Amino acid sequence: MQRYEYHVVPAPRRGEKARDAKTTADRFAVALTRLMNDLGRDGWEYLRADTLPCEERAGLTGRTTAFQHMLVFRRPLQADRAAEPAAPQQLAAPVLTAAAAEGAAPRLVVDPKAAPQVPPLGPARSEETASG
C-alpha cells in the first residue's frame, strides 16, 4: 500500500506580474502556476484546494471566524520512494557492421549483453492447452 506525506500551504492572495498576464485572473494563474511548479520540483503532487474555518481574535475579548484557502500537496514517503522500481533501462544503440559501411545491405547488430531481458507477455501455454 502506498503511503504519503502531506504539505499544506495557503493559496496565493494576489497575482504576480508577468509579461503576458494582463487581467487579474491571468496574474493569479501565474502565481498559482509558479507555486505549483516550485513544489512539484521537490516531488510534491497537487491534490486539492480546501477552504477551512479559522477562529481569530477580534479586539480584546471578541473572536471572529475567517475562512482560509489552502492548497494540499502530497508525495510518497521516503521509504516508499526507495522501494519503487528503477527507471526503465535504455536499449543499446544499434551498430552497423563494416560491410554496411562499405555499401552492402545494412545489418543491425545489437550486443545481447547490453539489451535488457524482456519477460513474456502472458502465461506460458503448454502444448496440451494450445491444441485443444
Side-chain angles (χ1 to χ4, degrees):
M1 180 172 102
Q2 185 78 36
R3 295 179 302 164
Y4 297 94
E5 62 180 327
Y6 294 87
H7 184 61
V8 180
V9 296
R13 293 193 182 271
R14 310 179 154 221
E16 293 181 13
K17 289 185 179 179
R19 185 177 194 165
D20 296 334
K22 304 294 182 196
T23 66
T24 303
D26 291 342
R27 289 181 179 161
F28 185 76
V30 167
L32 201 54
T33 300
R34 286 183 183 161
L35 174 69
M36 289 182 166
N37 285 335
D38 288 344
L39 289 170
R41 279 187 213 90
D42 295 332
W44 294 104
E45 171 190 8
Y46 172 74
L47 188 60
R48 67 176 178 264
D50 286 332
T51 302
L52 301 169
C54 179
E55 195 172 274
E56 297 177 343
R57 289 183 65 178
L60 292 175
T61 59
R63 297 208 176 263
T64 183
T65 301
F67 290 88
Q68 302 295 325
H69 304 286
M70 311 302 287
L71 302 176
V72 182
F73 293 83
R74 73 176 184 182
R75 69 179 174 191
L77 287 173
Q78 287 289 345
D80 292 341
R81 279 187 275 178
E84 288 180 2
Q89 295 179 351
Q90 187 174 1
L91 295 175
V95 178
L96 291 177
T97 61
E102 295 174 0
R107 199 175 104 214
L108 182 64
V109 178
V110 176
D111 182 12
K113 293 177 185 175
Q117 297 296 322
V118 179
L121 294 177
R125 292 175 48 180
S126 66
E127 289 183 26
E128 295 172 7
T129 58
S131 62

